[in-house]
Each structure stands twice: as C-alpha cells, then as structure tokens.
C-alpha cells in the first residue's frame, strides 16, 4: 500500500508527537521480514518483527523483542547515536507503544512522517499500514479507527537505507547515507473531510511592475479537500489585509483569486510574512505566507520585477559538530545563521529536500532557496520505474513547500551525465515540475568540460531549464587556481547563468604557502582567483552558490591526513570554525550587495 496523498502544514493541525525514545532491532538479514526460505512472512507470523512477541508459556520460543538498552532517539539518524551504526546500511526495526488520543466522533487519524531514510514499512498492531520509499520527503498513512486500541498500540517501522542502482539517489553519492526516522513523526487528527493541500500565492500571471505602480495585487490559490463535498465552505482570512472571504465548496477542489492593495512583497531585505488562515469543517489551518514574484527576463533573474543577484552558498542537511543529520529549528538556525554571516541572500539546499524547519526559517530570515530532488550523478535513466520514483519525490517536495516564498528554484537533479536517454528523463521531470508549479524557476546542476581557453556551457538540458546552472571547479578538479586568469566562459543559451557549485578543500588549521593543497591558504587563493574570474563572466552571470558552507561526512573522502571521511570543501570546519576563505567570499558578497544598493 503506497502512502496516501500528502497532508500539508501538519504543524497547524491537531496532532500528537510520537518523537522520543524508540526500541530497535538491528536486522541485517531481514529475519523479521523473511523466513529462513527468504519468503516474506505472513501477517500473523509470530516471528514477524511487526508482531508483539508474546510468551504465553515458559516453554515457548521467542527470538525477537523490543526493550532497553536497544533504543534510538526519533527524530534522528541512527549513525550518530551508537558506534554500531556508524557505517551501518541495512534494516533496523523501530518500535514504540502509544495510547489512543482523545478522538471526536468523526475524527480521522493519520500517521505522518517528516522523512525516513530510505524504505519504510509501517505496521500498527500487527497490521501493515503501508510502505514508502524516498529518504527526504514526507508521507502519511491513514490509521483505521477500528485498528486503534485505547492503550499500548504497537507501532513498528521497518527502516532500510540500503542503496540500490534503481533508486533515487542511486548507489553512489558524495554524502553520508544516514539511516533512520530522521525527522518528526506524529499522529495527525482531522475532521471527517478536511483541507488536504492548499496553495496561496501572488498570481504568477500578473505583471508585477504594473501591480506595484497601480498598487493592485492579485492573489490566487486553490484548496484540495480530502474528498468531494456538496456543502460547507472554506473561509480564507488575512487579517492584516482585511481579508475574510467565504468560498462555498462543491466537489473536492476550490480555486480562488482576489485583488488587494498595499501588499508588502517578500524579499531577502524585507521577508514579510502574512498570517493567513483557512477554515473548513471546524478545522482552522494557520500559516505564515510571503508574497513575491520570481521570473527570468532574458539573461536576468527578476525578483518582484527587479534584477536580483543570487549570493548563495550550498548546504548539506548536516550538523557537523554532531556528525549527524539536522532536523530541528535550532539546527536550521545554526546553518542558516552561518549563511547570513556570509552575507548570503540565497542557499542551495543540496542534494535533496531538507526538513521543513529549514524552508520555513528561510522564509522568516529572508533567504532565497534552491530545493532539489536527489537525482544525482548516474541514475538508471532508461528505467521508467526509476522515473516514477523521481516524480514521486518531486511531487512530495513541491506539495510540502509550495507555500514557501523563500523557495524560488526547484532543481530536478545534479551532475547527470549527458545522453539522449538522460536528457529525456530529466526533461520529463522538468515538465512534471512545471505542471505542478508554474510560479517558480526550474533548473538542474549541469556539468562543464574544462577547456584551457573557453569553457562552454552547452549541455542540451539547458534548453529546457529556466536558468542555466553549472558546477565548475576550475583550480581544484581542473588545474590550479591561477588557471582562472585565462579562463573564458561561453553559454549556449540566452538565459541567466548560475554557478551552482565551485569550491576547494582545506583542512582547517593546516597552514602553508598558497600552492600547498589542503592548506587554508590554497582554499583562500582558490576563492580569490575564482572571484576575479566570476567578475569577468558573461553578462548573464546571475549568481553563485559555492560548495559548501561546512565540511560534511562522505564515505568517498579517505585521505588519512586531510579528510578522514570528511569532504573538506567547507568554509567552516566540523567544529564550527571559519576557515580563511570564508571572509574572501563574505567580502565579495559585501561588494555585490553595496553595488546593488546604489
Ligand atoms: C560535486 C557534487 C557534490 C560533491 C562535490 C565535491 O560537484 O555535486 O555533491 O560533494 O562535487 O566533489 O566536493
């Protein structure tokens, strides 16, 4: 059973958190799932790990159980919680009991996961609720009321983070494959019929400059109910703008638009959010929404009708000091706070959708966001089932964050090798993204082939994206930083150019002359030469997001002195200390901001 349609904005709904200390069974051979003939166990099989082991008589044989000290914290990856798990890839069974919450007569109950890496099979009281794949997007299953007991409901989640060639991401990534129930889990209670998803935004079709001149702004939106209704109404309220609008519902989808005056537009400088609420069937959903327009015009990226330069930085969803996945608001404050210290106005959340705390905080802090699905490197492009998996993650990513003003770019992938099959696959993703959301820019991080004279950006996929984004490492993977002095760039498309990655490694605290790799001085030199080159880029150069904010764990980085399982391209080390190059980039961004203000 696949997951139900996603319920958005669960923070604003009646819910009970199931976070906390869970029991676990480490099961590399999946003994709890398959019998010794490696056949899937039947539902009632007492040896299945989704069934509570009950011993009625002392002679009975039971070979599994859930008890201390075998516990893990949720949310959280398992790798950072116990040395046993540092490198573990496989199945872990999570279990906890919970009591039935107080429920109204027609109330429904859903089990909601912020994310589980990678494959989750969910069971309650021995019954399977469903299965979900994808390590970085939310999902939910309805809990049949008659399955719920008043006390000690036996909840089990089989989590498997093994990598496979036909999954998304595939087997090869330059990040740590943290496993577990990595984000919040909760019971969400709803009325019998309820608002499942909604979209509220500045109507992307309107000319924003005219709207500003005439002080008349059109807001458009839609509401999707869980099921068709023949009566009742949805009320939209934006108190600060004097909006209280009642819309009768017939069917399961409602569309609306309204004209407003004196709307303050959202931007990094003025990250204005409005309290917006939608009420239906006694459930009131409250949200904080910013209104802004993002578009391209020829070679420029326009925010609210004005050219904007993306002063970006790439971020992995990791807290280096804890060697763990980030998941909380405090984690987001640390990472986005560092980006602000850098004078960035944009963050590339790589290479997968980060937790909702990050995107909601980016709304508040005024950081533009690039959000991406992990179609990373060499995916099985010729496999339709793989395309469906990528599309499922794209849908979940866009559904969860459609109302986040900060998100301006959806990326459908990173450094995928050029071939007709690949380009077809990626174009199909781009088309899907556009059909789901025509209000944002669609892109993908392309590769460039270095050339001593002119580096040419002509990946065929660039024909379908709104901005041409390219990763370049001239001076790290190609030669030394002085090569930037003679490098020229050519882009085959009259579209904005965005450098979605550039960076060099440095072991924090290792100091030497600038030509010594891994020294902070080499990284500093790299940024100095890159910035000089970036200042000579073609006139469609519209932004950059260097790789990367902080050192991060990678099983591919094994230099015994300088890496020790860390990708060292961070501008901040794993203790949180800034490296020399941090200030080089910060100064560059300061210059750009000053020029923009003039
Ligand atoms: C690649 C890739 C990143 C990787 C980086 C690096 O471009 O997109 O995921 O970490 O380069 O090599 O450090």
């Amino acid at each position: 059973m696949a997951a139900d349609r996603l319920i958005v904005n669960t923070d604003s709904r009646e819910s009970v958190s199931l976070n906390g200390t869970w029991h676990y069974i480490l099961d590399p051979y999946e003994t709890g799932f398959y019998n010794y003939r490696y056949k899937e166990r039947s539902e009632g099989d007492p040896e299945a790990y989704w069934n509570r082991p009950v011993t009625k008589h002392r002679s009975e044989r039971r070979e599994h159980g859930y008890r201390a000290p075998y516990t893990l914290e949720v949310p959280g990856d398992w790798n950072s919680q116990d040395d046993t798990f540092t490198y573990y890839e496989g199945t872990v069974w999570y279990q906890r009991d919970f009591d039935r919450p107080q429920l109204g007569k027609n109330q429904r109950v859903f089990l909601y996961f912020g994310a589980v890496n990678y494959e989750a099979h969910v069971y309650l009281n021995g019954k399977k609720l469903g299965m979900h794949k994808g390590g970085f997007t939310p999902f939910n299953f309805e809990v049949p009321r008659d399955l719920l007991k008043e006390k000690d409901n036996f909840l089990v989640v089989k989590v498997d983070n093994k990598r496979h060639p036909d999954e998304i991401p595939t087997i090869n990534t330059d990040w740590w494959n943290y496993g577990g129930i990595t984000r919040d889990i909760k019971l969400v209670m709803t009325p019998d019929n309820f608002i499942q998803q909604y979209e509220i935004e500045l109507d992307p079709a309107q000319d924003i400059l005219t709207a500003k001149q005439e002080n008349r702004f059109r807001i458009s939106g839609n509401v999707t109910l869980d099921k068709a209704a023949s009566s009742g109404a949805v009320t939209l309220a934006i108190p600060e703008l004097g909006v209280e609008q009642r819309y009768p519902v017939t069917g399961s989808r409602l569309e609306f638009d309204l004209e407003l005056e004196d709307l303050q537009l959202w931007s990094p400088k003025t990250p204005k959010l409005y309290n917006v609420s939608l009420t239906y069937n006694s459930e009131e959903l409250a949200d904080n929404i910013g209104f802004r327009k993002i578009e391209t015009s020829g070679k420029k990226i326009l925010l609210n009708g004005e050219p904007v330069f993306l002063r970006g930085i790439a971020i992995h969803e990791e807290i280096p000091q804890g060697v763990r996945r980030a998941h909380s608001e405090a984690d987001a404050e640390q990472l986005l706070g560092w980006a602000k210290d850098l004078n960035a106005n944009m963050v590339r959340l790589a290479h997968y959708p980060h937790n909702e705390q990050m995107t909601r905080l980016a709304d508040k802090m005024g950081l533009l966001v690039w959000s991406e699905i992990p179609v990373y490197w060499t995916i099985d492009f010729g496999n339709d089932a793989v395309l469906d998996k990528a599309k499922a993650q794209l849908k979940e990513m866009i559904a969860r964050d459609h109302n986040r003003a900060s998100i301006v770019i959806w990326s459908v992938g990173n450094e995928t090798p050029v071939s007709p099959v690949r380009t077809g696959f990626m174009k199909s993703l781009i088309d899907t993204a556009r059909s789901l959301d025509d209000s944002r820019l669609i892109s993908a991080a392309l590769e460039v082939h270095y050339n001593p004279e002119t580096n040419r950006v002509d990946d065929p996929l660039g024909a379908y994206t709104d901005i041409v984004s390219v990763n370049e490492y001239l001076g790290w993977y190609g030669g030394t930083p002085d090569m930037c002095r003679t490098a020229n760039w050519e882009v085959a498309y009259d579209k904005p150019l965005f450098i979605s990655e550039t960076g060099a490694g440095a072991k924090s605290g290792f100091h030497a002359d600038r030509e010594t790799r891994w020294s902070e001085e080499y990284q500093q030199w790299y940024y100095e030469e890159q910035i000089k080159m970036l200042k000579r880029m073609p006139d469609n150069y519209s932004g950059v997001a260097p790789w990367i904010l902080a050192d991060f764990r990678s099983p591919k980085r094994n230099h015994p002195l300088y890496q020790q399982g860390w990708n060292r391209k961070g501008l901040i080390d794993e203790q949180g200390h800034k490296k020399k190059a941090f200030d080089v980039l910060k100064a560059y961004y300061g210059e750009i901001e000053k020029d923009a203000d003039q």
Side-chain angles (χ1 to χ4, degrees), residues 270-327:
T270 57
K272 172 65 184 172
L273 299 176
Y274 286 91
N275 294 335
V276 175
S277 73
L278 285 166
T279 306
Y280 175 70
N281 235 356
S282 75
E283 183 184 41
E284 179 182 347
L285 294 180
D287 208 340
N288 299 310
I289 294 181
F291 298 101
R292 56 95 188 94
K293 175 152 183 173
I294 189 80
E295 59 191 319
T296 62
S297 168
K299 297 178 176 182
K300 291 266 170 271
I301 299 176
L302 305 181
L303 177 65
N304 301 331
E306 309 294 336
V308 63
F309 182 90
L310 306 181
R311 307 189 317 266
I313 188 72
I315 304 180
H316 259 302
E317 188 188 43
E318 187 179 279
I319 297 298
Q321 303 98 316
V323 199
R324 64 173 175 81
R325 272 270 170 253
H327 56 79

Side-chain angles (χ1 to χ4, degrees), residues 3-230:
D4 304 329
R5 193 173 41 202
L6 186 68
I7 298 175
V8 302
N9 192 5
T10 57
D11 288 352
S12 173
R13 297 178 194 263
E14 190 186 341
S15 68
V16 174
S17 171
L18 294 178
N19 290 349
T21 305
W22 288 52
H23 298 117
Y24 77 83
I25 299 176
L26 185 56
D27 186 16
Y29 285 44
E30 300 185 82
T31 304
F33 195 80
Y34 299 106
N35 63 22
Y36 81 113
R37 292 278 178 241
Y38 228 68
K39 294 263 175 302
E40 191 173 333
R41 292 184 183 280
S42 62
E43 185 176 275
D45 180 339
E47 301 202 52
Y49 288 8
W50 56 78
N51 289 323
R52 190 192 295 278
V54 183
T55 310
K56 295 197 194 73
H57 188 271
R58 64 183 178 282
S59 66
E60 281 179 4
R61 175 186 56 79
R62 285 283 168 269
E63 300 196 81
H64 79 279
Y66 295 101
R67 56 187 303 150
Y70 303 104
T71 62
L72 286 169
E73 291 310 307
V74 169
D77 59 271
W78 58 56
N79 311 71
S80 60
Q81 297 192 45
D82 185 312
D83 294 350
T84 318
F85 290 95
T86 306
Y87 286 87
Y88 183 66
E89 295 184 295
T91 284
V92 172
W93 295 83
Y94 282 77
Q95 186 279 333
R96 68 160 290 168
D97 284 4
F98 68 87
D99 296 343
R100 182 179 59 207
Q102 281 303 101
L103 296 172
K105 191 157 147 313
N106 298 317
Q107 267 197 308
R108 295 165 64 188
V109 182
F110 293 82
L111 196 53
Y112 177 92
F113 297 83
V116 172
N117 192 42
Y118 180 80
E119 182 175 321
H121 293 253
V122 181
Y123 306 84
L124 184 63
N125 297 333
K127 293 267 180 273
K128 188 159 193 173
L129 296 181
M131 187 280 283
H132 179 269
K133 282 186 177 180
F136 303 98
T137 46
F139 57 98
N140 41 256
F141 299 109
E142 177 150 18
V143 177
R145 293 271 302 246
D146 56 7
L147 186 57
L148 275 172
K149 298 184 300 181
E150 195 189 338
K151 290 242 169 269
D152 303 328
N153 289 283
F154 189 71
L155 178 59
V156 171
V157 184
K158 174 186 186 292
V159 179
D160 187 344
N161 74 332
K162 273 199 297 298
R163 290 166 288 123
H164 300 280
D166 60 347
E167 296 296 344
I168 304 277
T170 182
I171 46 178
N172 190 17
T173 70
D174 188 28
W175 69 80
W176 205 265
N177 183 25
Y178 290 107
I181 303 177
T182 51
R183 296 178 189 161
D184 294 342
I185 172 171
K186 60 182 101 171
L187 289 174
V188 175
M189 280 69 80
T190 71
D192 180 42
N193 196 6
F194 60 96
I195 295 175
Q196 187 130 33
Q197 298 183 359
Y198 58 91
E199 299 168 2
I200 304 175
E201 60 198 359
L202 201 60
D203 185 340
Q206 83 193 296
D207 179 283
I208 191 65
L209 293 179
T210 313
K212 287 203 273 193
Q213 270 147 26
E214 298 171 357
N215 187 18
R216 259 170 353 103
F217 301 89
R218 196 168 50 255
I219 304 284
S220 63
N222 58 69
V223 167
T224 304
L225 299 180
D226 173 65
K227 49 191 175 184
S230 53

